[in-house]
Amino acid sequence: MACVVLQLIVVSCARQQPGDTRDRSTIKIGYFGDLTGPTFNFGQSAKNGALMAAEEINQAGGINGRKIDIVIEDDQGSPELAATVVNKLTRQDKVIALIAGGASGSSLAAGPIAQSARVPMISPSSTNPAVTQIGDYIFRACFLDPFQGEVMAKFSYSSLQAKTAAIMLDFNSPYSRDLTVFFELSFTKLGGRVVTKQSYTQGDSDFKGQLSSISAAGPDVIYLPGYYGDIAMIAKQARQLGITQPLLGGDGWDAPELWQLAGDSINGSYISNHYSADDPSPAIQTFVHDYKLHWGNLTPDAHAALAYDAMRFLLEAIERAGTTEGDKLREALAQTRNFSGVTGIISMDSQRNAVKSAVILKLQDGRYIYQETIQPEAVAAPAKPSPSPSPPKSRKKK
Ligand code: PHE
């Protein structure tokens, strides 16, 4: 009867042999991320990666004969909206899993809703430790910020020979706050010293007060654990003030848009990141080639590559589970071991995190140039962040 009503099912029924009772309905997966807003590049890149993975699987016949249908929602980079759209995706669209394409703040707001709906959620690149601590339905495809902060602290101290650092953080972002803590912990442990910490909030436009304080403190390097839109403005104003020290950041800088906004002012900066599109490994070069063909010659950034991996390991878990039922799918995801992704081997640890290496990239003339790869030493439990630094003082006046 349903075959008469729904065209989609007519097609499915037509293909099925008499007596074949296998489920041929489409598998609905939700994608949400910031497709618009101050860091729209994150959501767009991740969406492109996730869609490409699903299209490849569909072209190859789907999962156990079922096609994938992605329901896409824009959270505009707002944690509140992320929670709203996940409510809609789980209750109204009844998606069986979610790919969370946004930054840590959005994943932290959306995660509890996915958890209580018992719909598995995978964040491709939210690195804040608290994301997967929400509950056993929340997974991620990337390393965590304790590692990312340590990686940049070590690179600063050892490779750049920095003995002092200044930090300027986005006070409203859990990502930025915790990276500050982790960087400082590691840098101090190595023998370095953080000489000043300044803060801002996303959307500020005048950073000169904080930058003047940093300039006066005369650090060897300046760590900016923020998102590319703000970073572009900070870098420009720093150079205008005559600050020449290397600027350092993390995966929140990774967007082609950064170059359009910041121009030359970010030349000579370094970031920690998940992968390098320049990596000659065949897996990466095939992905870069296919992605460029698919998306109008765009070079995939780390968020695109991680979302591609996240979607692929989700689909692999669905296939392995043989069902889209929440509890069983959750179980299959938790058992993911040695999944060969573009960004590295993905195995879920007991906390549903992927333990992976990081790369350091140098920013020069519109390019992110590969410097080195840093392996996680051991599968160590992430350190708990100590209390966050105090809020910005008289930020507006600065
Ligand atoms: N890893 C960063 C975070 O967790 C940056 C990020 C950017 C994450 C874009 C997801 C998407 O906030």
Side-chain angles (χ1 to χ4, degrees):
M1 284 167 298
C3 296
V4 182
V5 185
L6 288 173
Q7 202 194 353
L8 201 67
I9 301 179
V10 172
V11 174
S12 306
C13 291
R15 282 208 198 117
Q16 226 152 341
Q17 299 298 317
D20 181 354
T21 54
R22 277 175 297 176
D23 184 358
R24 292 296 168 100
S25 58
T26 54
I27 297 174
K28 258 198 201 179
I29 295 170
Y31 170 86
F32 68 100
D34 44 348
L35 304 175
T36 57
T39 51
F40 71 91
N41 231 122
F42 290 154
Q44 291 287 355
S45 280
K47 185 195 74 178
N48 289 351
L51 282 182
M52 187 170 123
E55 282 167 25
E56 285 176 2
I57 297 287
N58 278 343
Q59 271 161 22
I63 305 278
N64 303 328
R66 299 174 69 186
K67 291 282 165 79
I68 312 302
D69 180 17
I70 312 287
V71 187
I72 299 169
E73 289 291 342
D74 179 10
D75 65 26
Q76 299 171 28
S78 142
E80 294 75 29
L81 255 181
T84 307
V85 300
V86 166
N87 238 318
K88 182 222 166 226
L89 287 166
T90 52
R91 286 167 192 242
Q92 197 175 311
D93 299 311
K94 306 223 180 300
V95 300
I96 57 98
L98 291 152
I99 300 286
S104 289
S106 297
S107 298
L108 285 168
I113 294 159
Q115 175 70 30
S116 68
R118 301 170 89 86
V119 173
M121 171 177 126
I122 305 177
S123 167
S125 44
S126 290
T127 44
N128 189 273
V131 169
T132 42
Q133 288 164 8
I134 290 168
D136 60 351
Y137 277 75
I138 316 296
F139 299 82
R140 84 177 103 209
C142 57
F143 56 61
L144 278 70
D145 286 332
F147 177 60
Q148 178 162 215
E150 188 182 345
V151 159
M152 192 41 90
K154 281 191 177 154
F155 179 77
S156 309
Y157 192 83
S158 307
S159 302
L160 300 179
Q161 310 262 304
K163 299 296 168 264
T164 56
I167 306 180
M168 186 152 150
L169 64 136
D170 171 354
F171 194 76
N172 282 344
S173 147
Y175 165 74
S176 194
R177 283 200 309 265
D178 282 3
L179 265 186
T180 297
V181 172
F182 299 127
F183 174 91
E184 186 172 15
L185 264 179
S186 301
F187 193 64
T188 325
K189 213 154 107 198
L190 290 164
R193 199 159 52 86
V194 173
V195 288
T196 180
K197 265 185 271 177
Q198 302 288 320
S199 54
Y200 63 93
T201 52
Q202 189 172 51
D204 285 357
S205 55
D206 184 359
F207 303 93
K208 296 218 171 77
Q210 297 97 313
L211 288 167
S212 298
S213 304
I214 290 177
S215 180
D220 294 333
V221 291
I222 302 168
Y223 188 47
L224 302 170
Y227 296 128
Y228 68 89
D230 299 319
I231 296 305
M233 272 192 286
I234 294 171
K236 274 186 164 170
Q237 292 177 24
R239 299 318 181 201
Q240 280 161 14
L241 288 175
I243 295 174
T244 54
Q245 285 97 326
L247 307 177
L248 313 174
D251 62 339
W253 288 34
D254 188 13
E257 185 87 359
L258 177 64
W259 290 104
Q260 287 152 32
L261 298 170
D264 287 354
S265 56
I266 41 164
N267 271 349
S269 303
Y270 295 91
I271 62 166
S272 52
N273 206 356
H274 305 269
Y275 107 121
S276 164
D278 291 341
D279 188 320
S281 92
I284 290 185
Q285 285 317 309
T286 304
F287 169 70
V288 171
H289 170 266
D290 294 353
Y291 187 94
K292 283 185 166 175
L293 268 184
H294 212 96
W295 300 112
N297 214 28
L298 269 181
T299 300
D301 57 26
H303 306 294
L306 281 166
Y308 177 80
D309 281 352
M311 180 61 85
R312 282 184 62 235
F313 94 74
L314 167 63
L315 298 179
E316 189 267 342
I318 295 172
E319 188 161 35
R320 200 159 19 91
T323 169
T324 52
E325 197 263 304
D327 288 3
K328 298 207 174 89
L329 178 55
R330 191 218 77 77
E331 197 56 43
L333 280 166
Q335 282 163 8
T336 300
R337 298 287 179 278
N338 297 318
F339 179 85
S340 181
V342 167
T343 57
I345 303 292
I346 296 173
S347 294
M348 284 298 115
D349 69 9
S350 61
Q351 303 303 306
R352 300 163 304 284
N353 296 317
V355 180
K356 292 160 85 187
S357 56
V359 293
I360 298 282
L361 307 177
K362 181 176 186 176
L363 281 67
Q364 195 65 46
D365 303 326
R367 293 189 53 217
Y368 292 89
I369 305 164
Y370 172 78
Q371 304 292 296
E372 57 186 82
T373 299
I374 296 147
Q375 303 293 341
E377 285 150 0
V379 190
K384 276 253 172 345
S386 51
S388 297
S390 50
K393 285 184 208 113
S394 59
R395 176 175 52 77
K396 290 286 172 226
K397 275 184 253 146
K398 279 181 185 169

